[in-house]
mmCIF file of all heavy atoms in Angstrom:
data_model
loop_
_atom_site.group_PDB
_atom_site.id
_atom_site.type_symbol
_atom_site.label_atom_id
_atom_site.label_comp_id
_atom_site.label_asym_id
_atom_site.label_seq_id
_atom_site.Cartn_x
_atom_site.Cartn_y
_atom_site.Cartn_z
ATOM 1 N N PRO A 324 114.692 -193.597 209.093
ATOM 2 C CA PRO A 324 114.330 -194.769 208.463
ATOM 3 C C PRO A 324 114.724 -196.073 209.194
ATOM 4 O O PRO A 324 115.702 -195.985 210.013
ATOM 5 C CB PRO A 324 115.038 -194.773 207.150
ATOM 6 C CG PRO A 324 116.065 -193.608 207.184
ATOM 7 C CD PRO A 324 115.716 -192.841 208.425
ATOM 8 N N MET A 357 102.262 -196.010 196.400
ATOM 9 C CA MET A 357 101.879 -194.609 196.901
ATOM 10 C C MET A 357 101.500 -194.802 198.360
ATOM 11 O O MET A 357 100.699 -195.616 198.760
ATOM 12 C CB MET A 357 100.692 -194.140 196.111
ATOM 13 C CG MET A 357 100.386 -192.683 196.607
ATOM 14 S SD MET A 357 99.188 -191.927 195.516
ATOM 15 C CE MET A 357 97.634 -192.400 196.229
ATOM 16 N N TRP A 366 97.603 -184.106 193.113
ATOM 17 C CA TRP A 366 98.754 -184.218 192.341
ATOM 18 C C TRP A 366 98.594 -183.564 190.879
ATOM 19 O O TRP A 366 97.459 -183.423 190.552
ATOM 20 C CB TRP A 366 99.227 -185.678 192.200
ATOM 21 C CG TRP A 366 99.654 -186.286 193.479
ATOM 22 C CD1 TRP A 366 98.801 -187.061 194.273
ATOM 23 C CD2 TRP A 366 100.754 -186.227 194.239
ATOM 24 N NE1 TRP A 366 99.416 -187.386 195.383
ATOM 25 C CE2 TRP A 366 100.825 -186.941 195.372
ATOM 26 C CE3 TRP A 366 101.971 -185.465 193.911
ATOM 27 C CZ2 TRP A 366 101.821 -186.947 196.345
ATOM 28 C CZ3 TRP A 366 103.024 -185.591 194.894
ATOM 29 C CH2 TRP A 366 102.984 -186.362 195.986
ATOM 30 N N ASN A 400 116.149 -190.723 185.234
ATOM 31 C CA ASN A 400 116.241 -191.496 183.936
ATOM 32 C C ASN A 400 115.644 -192.773 184.033
ATOM 33 O O ASN A 400 115.035 -193.287 183.040
ATOM 34 C CB ASN A 400 117.790 -191.723 183.673
ATOM 35 C CG ASN A 400 118.450 -190.421 183.250
ATOM 36 O OD1 ASN A 400 117.835 -189.484 182.637
ATOM 37 N ND2 ASN A 400 119.780 -190.180 183.490
ATOM 38 N N PHE A 407 107.235 -193.858 183.009
ATOM 39 C CA PHE A 407 106.314 -193.189 184.045
ATOM 40 C C PHE A 407 106.096 -191.793 183.618
ATOM 41 O O PHE A 407 106.814 -191.192 183.025
ATOM 42 C CB PHE A 407 107.027 -193.360 185.447
ATOM 43 C CG PHE A 407 107.082 -194.698 186.000
ATOM 44 C CD1 PHE A 407 108.268 -195.486 185.903
ATOM 45 C CD2 PHE A 407 106.000 -195.337 186.567
ATOM 46 C CE1 PHE A 407 108.354 -196.770 186.300
ATOM 47 C CE2 PHE A 407 106.041 -196.586 187.055
ATOM 48 C CZ PHE A 407 107.185 -197.306 187.005
ATOM 49 N N TYR A 430 111.102 -179.642 190.243
ATOM 50 C CA TYR A 430 109.954 -180.268 191.013
ATOM 51 C C TYR A 430 109.025 -179.072 191.416
ATOM 52 O O TYR A 430 109.512 -178.102 191.955
ATOM 53 C CB TYR A 430 110.393 -181.011 192.196
ATOM 54 C CG TYR A 430 111.090 -182.393 191.781
ATOM 55 C CD1 TYR A 430 112.328 -182.464 191.240
ATOM 56 C CD2 TYR A 430 110.329 -183.573 191.809
ATOM 57 C CE1 TYR A 430 112.856 -183.682 190.799
ATOM 58 C CE2 TYR A 430 110.783 -184.741 191.484
ATOM 59 C CZ TYR A 430 112.146 -184.791 190.933
ATOM 60 O OH TYR A 430 112.715 -185.993 190.523
ATOM 61 N N GLU A 434 100.962 -179.847 198.107
ATOM 62 C CA GLU A 434 100.478 -179.751 199.465
ATOM 63 C C GLU A 434 101.357 -180.286 200.497
ATOM 64 O O GLU A 434 102.343 -180.915 200.140
ATOM 65 C CB GLU A 434 99.125 -180.475 199.385
ATOM 66 C CG GLU A 434 98.141 -180.014 198.409
ATOM 67 C CD GLU A 434 96.859 -180.889 198.360
ATOM 68 O OE1 GLU A 434 96.474 -181.420 199.324
ATOM 69 O OE2 GLU A 434 96.339 -180.969 197.154
#
Side-chain angles (χ1 to χ4, degrees):
M357 184 170 87
W366 297 99
N400 288 332
F407 290 99
Y430 287 77
E434 300 172 37

